[in-house]
């Protein structure tokens, strides 16, 4: 019997309609378009508007479209992992809301929180259930509504983040395609540099935490930048070395879209030219768990069966990692 691997057999994405440009941010904080672009590469980002709209409102249309694209009946899906930093509620899991709304009545689901590395952690986790033969159809979601936890008076964070996400279908493969290797890492010393102070069990919401604006994302930019450049570049290079891959063997690098300079540093370390790097940070900003599936969705028609693809991410806490996969299907 051929070895089972977990292959992505379909991808979909969703970005909210409302576009927040850098020029709009100029009216909210002391900043300007050129300054934002030169330091981050971001020109605009999408914002989820409307009452009672959480991350599930991003994930549900992506999953419904994924089911349609892959000709999958909702009841055939056996498992759904939702990678998110901004769940609809503390409980129940956003995955539960997604499965109910999409008709995936036979799927068990849960949320996975690893900040910007969440999608990679979830993809690697789902792959294990496929490789053991336990399940045959698993959906991995990466989505975030970062506008819910961004302080639009804080220039250090509000220019970076946006809302959006996507979903992929994982299925068994016996052709040697799909996930080949993964390297996932975490380091709790990074907590002080990127976190949300209040809202968890350590610091529950009080009037004082609200007055001190502690329910928003906090980032010490320079420290995070230095860790991210080294972390993403090192792990992407490591997964290449471990699998005897040279730069010319790589069809695509799919980096987390946090900062254009971090993306460039990772590509340079790998020796990969810009023509092989998926980039859409200029349109969406940093959608946290959503950046990698959004890239795969936008570039899907350029991916070919057998392509060597490297995914790489770095997130708060700190978390980081890289996955090497062989793309499993040609453009439709």
């Amino acid at each position: 019997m051929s070895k089972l691997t977990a292959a992505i057999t379909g991808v979909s994405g969703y970005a909210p309609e409302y576009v927040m440009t850098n020029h709009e941010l100029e009216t909210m904080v002391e900043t300007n378009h050129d300054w934002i672009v030169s330091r981050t590469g971001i020109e605009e980002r999408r914002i989820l508007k409307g009452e009672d709209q959480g991350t599930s409102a991003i994930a549900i249309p992506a999953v419904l479209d994924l089911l349609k694209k892959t000709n999958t009946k909702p009841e055939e899906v056996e498992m759904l992992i939702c990678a998110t930093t901004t769940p609809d509620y503390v409980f129940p899991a956003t995955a539960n809301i997604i499965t109910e709304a999409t008709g995936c009545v036979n799927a068990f689901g849960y949320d996975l929180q690893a900040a910007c590395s969440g999608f990679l952690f979830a993809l690697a986790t789902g792959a294990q259930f496929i490789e053991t033969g336990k399940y045959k159809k698993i959906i991995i979601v990466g989505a975030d509504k970062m506008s819910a936890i961004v302080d639009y008076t804080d220039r250090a964070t509000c220019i970076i983040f946006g809302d959006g996400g996507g979903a992929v279908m994982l299925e068994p493969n016996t052709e040697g395609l799909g996930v080949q290797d993964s390297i996932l890492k975490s380091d709790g010393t990074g907590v002080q540099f990127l976190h949300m102070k209040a809202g968890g069990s350590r610091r529950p919401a009080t009037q004082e935490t609200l007055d001190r604006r502690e329910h928003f994302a906090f980032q010490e930019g320079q420290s995070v930048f230095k860790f991210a450049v080294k972390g993403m570049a090192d792990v992407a290079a490591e997964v290449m070395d471990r699998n005897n891959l040279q730069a010319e063997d790589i069809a695509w690098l799919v980096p987390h879209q946090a900062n254009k300079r971090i993306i460039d540093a990772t590509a340079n370390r790998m020796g990969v030219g810009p023509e092989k790097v998926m980039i859409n940070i200029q349109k969406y900003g940093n959608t946290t768990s959503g950046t990698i599936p959004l890239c795969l969705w936008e570039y899907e028609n350029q991916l070919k069966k057998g392509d060597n693809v490297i995914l790489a991410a770095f997130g708060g806490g700190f978390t980081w990692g890289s996955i090497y996969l062989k793309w499993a299907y040609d453009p439709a």
Side-chain angles (χ1 to χ4, degrees), residues 219-292:
Q219 175 172 283
E220 188 180 301
Q222 279 301 109
S223 297
V224 173
F225 180 83
K226 286 189 290 186
F227 274 96
V229 166
K230 186 177 189 308
M232 262 181 68
D234 283 356
V235 80
E238 184 182 349
V239 83
M240 285 177 63
D241 290 343
R242 209 156 83 168
N243 292 277
N244 299 311
L245 295 169
Q246 305 300 315
E248 56 268 26
D249 301 321
I250 305 300
W252 292 101
L253 165 64
V254 191
H256 169 54
Q257 308 287 299
N259 183 296
K260 179 64 163 54
R261 291 182 292 168
I262 297 172
I263 294 170
D264 291 344
T266 302
N268 289 338
R269 175 70 184 279
M270 294 169 61
V272 172
E275 73 283 356
K276 293 184 174 185
V277 182
M278 293 189 188
I279 294 180
N280 59 15
I281 190 173
Q282 72 281 4
K283 294 198 297 183
Y284 301 121
N286 182 352
T287 56
T288 307
S289 300
T291 66
I292 289 176

Side-chain angles (χ1 to χ4, degrees), residues 93-108:
T94 302
N96 290 16
I97 298 168
I98 298 167
T99 54
E100 190 278 330
T102 57
C104 297
V105 293
N106 294 318
F108 88 94

Side-chain angles (χ1 to χ4, degrees), residues 307-324:
D307 277 354
N308 288 319
V309 180
I310 302 290
L311 316 179
F314 184 92
F318 292 126
T319 61
W320 67 103
S322 185
I323 290 178
Y324 162 44

